[in-house]
Amino acid sequence: MKLRVVGLSDIGRLRQQNQDYVFTSEVQVGPLPNLCIVADGMGGHKAGEYASKCAVETMVGAINLSKEEEPRKVLTAAIRRANEKVRQKATTDDNFKGMGTTVVAETFDGQTLLVANVGDSRMYFINDEIQQITTDHSLVEEMIKMGGLEREKARNHPDKNIITRAIGVVDLVDADFFTIDNIHPGDTILMCSDGLTNMVEDNEILEIIKQKESLEDTARKLISAANKNGGRDNITVILGRFEG
């Protein structure tokens, strides 16, 4: 099987700059057969924009030079290198103090999808249903786990934007990893920043994707739905469809 992908990013309706960054490659990147990354930066003027771009470009560069063969080790090393690079800038330049970025990345070897996640950008797996694969590193997710908050109320919680793990915030960061093996032609993946998921409910995302239009048209519809519902943040979408 092959994974066809398209990536789009939109500034949204309220932000002055786009602090999201997106990378897609259907062909080999270093030892990885393909690669997709979404990053959602945080920080003051230009700092979040720098953090997301720096993290993704550092990851891609590290993967291209990697001597590792095992995909999980490749992604682990790339994420740690990105963390070092963003962290170095954040601690040596006052204009970038406190910046950081989320990262969600995937690679597919023809049978197994490997996903790495830091922060609250997400990966979904979609066929007849929609399933969130990644777990947010966020304060509201911790509150849900501890039973102090119902998931239905999390989207509108005042602290929903507080993340508990990010690239560039501490000296060493670990990514969570997820694998998906039971994949069939026609199945779809969605990687996105929270500018989509804070604006569009999962069931609405599913209905848009189930229309089975082209990947680019579907991605544009998702972004349009987020903007229609308020567009309060930058919106980044990677859509992938398995073909075989």
Side-chain angles (χ1 to χ4, degrees):
M1 268 190 298
K2 290 186 177 181
L3 179 62
R4 301 297 181 194
V5 296
V6 65
L8 295 175
S9 190
D10 187 83
I11 196 170
R13 296 177 62 184
L14 300 183
R15 295 298 175 93
Q16 299 300 309
Q17 62 192 111
N18 194 343
Q19 296 190 332
D20 290 356
Y21 201 77
V22 62
F23 175 87
T24 64
S25 177
E26 294 181 345
V27 297
Q28 190 162 347
V29 180
L32 300 182
N34 43 65
L35 179 65
C36 294
I37 309 172
V38 170
D40 179 358
M42 59 186 188
H45 183 63
K46 292 290 183 183
E49 184 179 8
Y50 176 89
S52 59
K53 185 174 189 287
C54 175
V56 173
E57 291 182 347
T58 301
M59 283 182 65
V60 173
I63 292 166
N64 268 314
L65 296 173
S66 179
K67 304 302 182 185
E68 292 282 358
E69 294 184 3
E70 206 279 308
R72 180 168 176 151
K73 290 181 179 179
V74 175
L75 286 173
T76 295
I79 287 169
R80 287 184 174 172
R81 179 67 186 123
N83 186 71
E84 291 170 3
K85 195 80 178 289
V86 176
R87 180 76 174 147
Q88 181 182 31
K89 185 75 169 178
T91 53
T92 57
D93 189 330
D94 286 343
N95 293 319
F96 296 88
K97 187 176 181 180
M99 72 174 172
T101 183
T102 71
V103 160
V104 60
E106 70 78 25
T107 188
F108 177 63
D109 66 3
Q111 292 182 311
T112 300
L113 186 78
L114 178 68
V115 185
N117 179 58
V118 178
D120 65 353
S121 295
R122 294 178 178 177
M123 160 76 78
Y124 288 88
F125 186 73
I126 299 134
N127 37 48
D128 292 332
E129 300 176 337
I130 183 167
Q131 178 187 4
Q132 183 179 333
I133 301 302
T134 53
T135 301
D136 295 350
H137 299 133
S138 68
L139 181 60
V140 295
E141 187 65 31
E142 294 295 331
M143 293 168 69
I144 291 167
K145 286 179 182 177
M146 294 172 65
L149 180 66
E150 296 176 15
R151 188 166 295 280
E152 293 72 27
K153 297 179 180 178
R155 293 179 78 251
N156 298 311
H157 195 278
D159 294 330
K160 70 177 183 296
N161 291 324
I162 298 176
I163 60 176
T164 56
R165 199 186 305 181
I167 300 290
V169 175
V170 294
D171 290 337
L172 184 64
V173 69
D174 288 319
D176 288 345
F177 280 87
F178 308 85
T179 57
I180 307 171
D181 297 306
N182 189 23
I183 300 171
H184 301 93
D187 290 346
T188 303
I189 59 165
L190 166 65
M191 302 167 68
C192 59
S193 61
D194 66 350
L196 177 70
T197 51
N198 283 340
M199 294 287 99
V200 187
E201 297 273 8
D202 287 6
N203 59 358
E204 187 179 353
I205 292 173
L206 176 61
E207 288 307 310
I208 292 171
I209 289 174
K210 282 172 71 175
Q211 293 172 18
K212 292 290 185 182
E213 297 186 21
S214 72
L215 289 175
E216 186 161 345
D217 285 347
T218 304
R220 291 190 188 282
K221 280 192 172 184
L222 290 169
I223 288 171
S224 178
N227 278 322
K228 183 179 178 181
N229 291 345
R232 292 195 295 266
D233 201 351
N234 311 140
I235 310 148
T236 297
V237 167
I238 293 176
L239 270 179
R241 190 172 292 152
F242 296 94
E243 299 178 354

